[in-house]
Amino acid sequence: MIFRVATRRDLPAVLALLADEDQVLDPASMRVGEEHERAFGAIESDARNEMLVLTDAGGGASGDAGGNAGGGAGGGETVLGCLQLTYVPGLGQGGQERALVEAVRVRADRRGEGLGAELMRLAAERARGRGCGLVQLTSNKRRTAAHRFYERLGFARSHEGFKLPLQRP
């Protein structure tokens, strides 16, 4: 397995993971619109944001699961999982940054193999290496299996989240 920063070539596979978490969608069938390009470009150019992927290293080769962030999507690689890490500065926690984890997905046909746990372990290791004092995430209230998964990994339910949708002008 290889854990690395996503490249533009990974965008269709990441969108396929985000589009439907219950089935495997063909990345080639995904429409990559200018809004996706713009959002990916913003993530890619922001030192406080990373879209990360876990790949099979092209047909199951062992690869580097230790946090390799280099390289683009190579021939034969399959994106098995993804997440976005956002590093948030703050005055609390002794001024330490915290890592916000979002958009966590693992291919539906590869769940139960420990890939999600590995993806989260590597993300926490990456955040720790950056000096973050905390990793946090939110999860939709309906995703009870995901809640059990995060609790097994040591995450604690500590806050209640709120959202306010903003209308475009």
Side-chain angles (χ1 to χ4, degrees):
M1 297 295 141
I2 295 176
F3 181 62
R4 61 173 173 75
V5 173
T7 68
R8 168 58 188 86
R9 289 177 56 187
D10 297 314
L11 189 51
V14 169
L15 292 175
L17 288 171
L18 296 174
D20 191 331
E21 64 186 84
D22 295 322
Q23 60 181 326
V24 176
L25 299 178
D26 180 2
S29 72
M30 299 308 300
R31 183 190 75 76
V32 179
E34 81 177 51
E35 68 278 10
H36 300 115
E37 296 281 1
R38 205 173 25 254
F40 186 81
I43 292 167
E44 192 175 45
S45 67
D46 183 346
R48 295 196 178 279
N49 272 289
E50 297 181 305
M51 178 57 71
L52 301 165
V53 293
L54 186 65
T55 73
D56 69 354
S62 61
D64 170 19
N68 177 18
E77 267 188 357
T78 300
V79 174
L80 304 174
C82 67
L83 59 77
Q84 182 176 345
L85 273 180
T86 302
Y87 303 103
V88 182
L91 296 174
Q93 302 282 323
Q96 290 182 321
E97 282 187 326
R98 63 186 63 214
L100 175 63
V101 180
E102 296 184 293
V104 179
R105 297 291 189 280
V106 171
R107 274 176 59 116
D109 63 344
R110 299 296 298 269
R111 290 202 193 111
E113 298 177 23
L115 297 176
E118 181 69 357
L119 185 62
M120 293 299 293
R121 183 189 71 76
L122 292 166
E125 183 179 292
R126 191 172 187 87
R128 187 178 298 109
R130 186 179 164 109
C132 292
L134 179 74
V135 175
Q136 66 186 32
L137 57 85
T138 61
S139 183
N140 190 297
K141 289 185 178 193
R142 296 182 304 249
R143 299 184 72 214
T144 56
H147 302 166
R148 289 189 301 273
F149 166 74
Y150 294 128
E151 287 172 337
R152 280 195 308 272
L153 297 179
F155 285 83
R157 295 176 193 235
S158 62
H159 293 72
E160 190 75 23
F162 298 89
K163 292 186 179 187
L164 175 65
L166 301 175
Q167 299 293 326
R168 291 184 181 200

